C-alpha cells in the first residue's frame, strides 16, 4: 500500500491543477511609434518602434528604448536601451536638442539602464518630447527614436496599473495615494518522475511522422527528436518532436507524448502533447505546433519562439514546464509590430516548484 504522504501529494497535485487558471495573455497596444503591454501580474513595458514614416529606415536606428515599471509597492522603474555597444564607454541622451541624461555604457543585454529617480526624470522628458537622440562619447549616433505616442503608451500603463489620478502616475497624475492591486502570480506544482533514459526507437518516430498531419509538410530541414520524461513503476514517458516543415527562419514541430509499459507487446503509443494554453502559432482547438522548439532536459522546460520575419523584431515566444501530465506556460512574450523592436513585451508569467517526493513510511 502506498504511504499516506504519497497519496496526499497526489491529491495536492490534482487540487492545484484544477484551480490553476488558463493563462490569459496581456494585450499589446500600439500608439503611433510606441507599443505598450502588461503581464498578468501587472508589470508593464512601453517599447519604442522605428518610425513608419516615408523617411524611416535602419540607418539611424540602433535599437529600441524600453520603459519598464512594476505594479507592486517596490515600484521598480527602469529605462533600458538595447543596442550593440561596440567600443563605446559613455552615452549622451538628448531630447529635442536638450541633454537629459548621461552615463556609462556597459557590456550586457542592456548596455544602458537608467533606474530610480533618474529614470522618472527622463520619462517626463520623453512624455513632453518629440525626438530622442542617443549619442556615444564622440557624438556618434547610437539610435534616434521618435517620441510620437510615448505619452499615450505611458498613460496606458497608468491605466493598467490603476495609477490614474494618483501621485505615482506618469501621465494621468492626481492627488490620491497609489494602492497596488493584489495580483498573485500562479504557482505550478511539478510532479517529476524517476529519471530514465528510455526513448522511442527511430522506426517508431518514422511511423508516427507518417501518420501525423505533418506528413505533407516535411520538406526542408527534417530532424525528429525524442527526449526522456522519466518513469513511474513500469510506465515510461518521452517527449517527441516531429519535424513539421521549415522556412527561412522558422522550423515547425509537432509535440507528442510517448508512453511505453515495460514488457508490453504493444510498444510505444503516442498522443499529442497537452498544454494549458497552446503556443500562439498553433492556435487553440487544434493539435499544438511549436516554432524553433527548444527542450531543457534537466528542468524539463519547453520553449517555442516564432519570428514574424528574419530580423527577429516581431513575433511571439512561450516557455512551458512539464508538470507530469501536461505543459504549463511559465512566461510569454510578444511583439506584434515589425518595426525594429527586438525587446519583446512580457504578457504572461508564472512560477513553478517541484513537488517533494513522498518519504518512505516509518515502522
Amino acid at each position: 500500500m502506498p504511504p499516506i504522504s504519497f497519496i496526499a501529494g497526489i491529491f495536492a497535485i490534482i487540487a492545484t491543477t484544477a484551480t490553476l487558471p488558463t493563462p490569459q495573455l496581456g494585450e499589446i497596444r500600439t500608439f503611433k511609434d510606441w507599443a505598450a503591454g502588461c503581464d498578468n501580474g501587472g508589470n508593464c513595458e512601453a517599447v519604442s518602434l522605428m518610425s513608419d514614416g516615408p523617411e524611416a529606415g535602419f540607418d539611424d536606428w540602433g535599437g529600441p528604448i524600453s520603459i519598464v515599471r512594476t505594479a507592486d509597492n517596490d515600484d521598480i522603474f527602469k529605462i533600458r536601451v538595447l543596442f550593440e555597444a561596440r567600443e563605446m564607454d559613455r552615452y549622451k541622451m538628448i531630447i529635442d536638442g536638450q541633454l537629459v541624461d548621461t552615463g556609462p555604457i556597459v557590456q550586457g543585454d542592456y548596455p544602458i539602464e537608467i533606474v530610480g529617480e533618474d529614470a522618472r526624470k527622463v520619462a517626463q522628458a520623453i512624455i513632453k518630447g518629440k525626438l530622442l537622440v542617443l549619442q556615444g562619447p564622440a557624438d556618434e549616433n547610437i539610435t534616434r527614436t521618435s517620441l510620437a505616442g510615448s505619452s499615450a503608451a505611458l498613460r496606458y500603463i497608468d491605466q493598467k496599473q490603476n495609477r490614474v489620478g494618483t501621485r505615482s502616475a506618469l501621465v494621468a497624475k492626481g492627488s490620491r495615494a497609489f494602492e497596488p492591486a493584489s495580483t498573485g502570480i500562479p504557482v505550478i506544482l511539478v510532479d517529476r518522475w524517476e529519471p530514465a533514459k528510455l526513448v522511442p526507437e527511430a522506426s517508431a518516430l518514422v511511423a508516427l511522422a507518417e501518420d501525423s498531419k505533418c506528413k505533407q509538410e516535411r520538406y526542408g530541414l527534417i530532424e525528429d527528436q525524442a527526449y526522456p520524461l522519466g518513469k513511474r513503476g513500469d510506465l515510461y514517458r518521452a517527449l517527441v518532436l516531429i519535424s513539421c516543415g521549415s522556412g527561412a527562419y522558422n522550423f515547425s514541430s509537432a509535440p507528442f507524448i510517448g508512453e511505453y509499459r515495460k514488457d508490453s507487446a504493444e510498444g510505444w503509443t503516442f498522443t499529442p502533447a497537452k498544454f494549458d494554453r497552446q503556443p500562439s502559432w498553433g492556435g487553440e482547438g487544434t493539435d499544438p505546433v511549436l516554432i524553433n522548439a527548444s527542450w531543457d532536459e534537466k528542468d524539463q522546460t519547453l520553449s517555442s519562439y516564432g519570428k514574424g520575419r528574419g530580423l527577429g523584431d516581431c513575433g511571439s515566444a512561450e516557455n512551458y514546464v512539464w508538470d507530469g501530465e501536461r505543459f504549463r506556460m511559465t512566461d510569454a512574450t510578444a511583439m506584434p509590430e515589425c518595426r525594429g523592436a527586438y525587446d519583446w513585451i512580457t504578457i504572461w508569467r508564472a512560477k513553478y516548484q517541484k513537488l517533494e517526493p513522498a518519504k518512505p513510511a516509518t515502522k
Side-chain angles (χ1 to χ4, degrees), residues 113 200 312:
E113 184 171 274

Side-chain angles (χ1 to χ4, degrees), residues 40-200:
N40 53 305
N43 291 351
C44 299
E45 184 173 359
V47 180
S48 66
L49 307 172
M50 190 168 61
S51 176
D52 59 359
E55 298 181 359
F58 282 93
D59 291 345
D60 294 328
W61 178 264
I65 294 172
S66 60
I67 301 174
V68 180
R69 193 173 198 184
T70 63
D72 52 22
N73 278 316
D74 292 340
D75 195 13
I76 298 172
F77 192 89
K78 299 178 182 179
I79 296 178
R80 310 182 299 198
V81 188
L82 180 64
F83 68 99
E84 186 179 353
R86 299 190 295 274
E87 300 299 322
M88 293 179 285
D89 58 356
R90 292 193 67 81
Y91 71 89
K92 294 182 290 185
M93 185 176 287
I94 300 166
I95 295 179
D96 297 344
Q98 299 295 314
L99 180 68
V100 297
D101 192 66
T102 186
I105 294 175
V106 300
Q107 298 299 319
D109 292 339
Y110 297 98
I112 296 175
E113 184 171 274
I114 309 168
V115 299
E117 285 304 315
D118 289 340
R120 286 176 172 79
K121 291 177 183 177
V122 172
Q124 290 303 315
I126 287 175
I127 289 168
K128 299 172 184 177
K130 295 181 179 179
L131 178 67
L132 185 152
V133 177
L134 200 63
Q135 296 179 339
D139 296 339
E140 60 269 50
N141 179 73
I142 296 176
T143 193
R144 294 168 66 89
T145 297
S146 165
L147 300 181
S150 61
S151 178
L154 295 176
R155 182 184 290 273
Y156 176 70
I157 290 178
D158 282 345
Q159 175 190 343
K160 297 298 287 185
Q161 293 185 339
N162 297 320
R163 297 181 187 272
V164 173
T166 72
R167 293 187 293 273
S168 71
L170 290 171
V171 181
K173 291 181 177 295
S175 58
R176 292 189 294 107
F178 171 60
E179 296 181 6
S182 55
T183 304
I185 299 300
V187 178
I188 302 164
L189 283 184
V190 172
D191 180 24
R192 288 286 159 82
W193 287 22
E194 182 183 347
K197 293 298 183 182
L198 188 64
V199 295

Side-chain angles (χ1 to χ4, degrees), residues 227-283:
Y227 306 97
L229 289 173
K231 69 173 184 175
R232 179 153 290 169
D234 62 352
L235 181 64
Y236 293 78
R237 280 182 176 168
L239 167 66
V240 175
L241 301 178
I242 295 296
S243 181
C244 205
S246 62
Y249 44 83
N250 283 328
F251 303 88
S252 303
S253 54
F256 292 84
I257 300 301
E259 288 193 346
Y260 171 78
R261 196 169 293 278
K262 190 176 181 181
D263 299 327
S264 169
E266 187 178 5
W268 284 90
T269 59
F270 302 95
T271 56
K274 296 179 181 178
F275 291 77
D276 58 353
R277 185 185 179 101
Q278 293 197 165
S280 57
W281 285 64

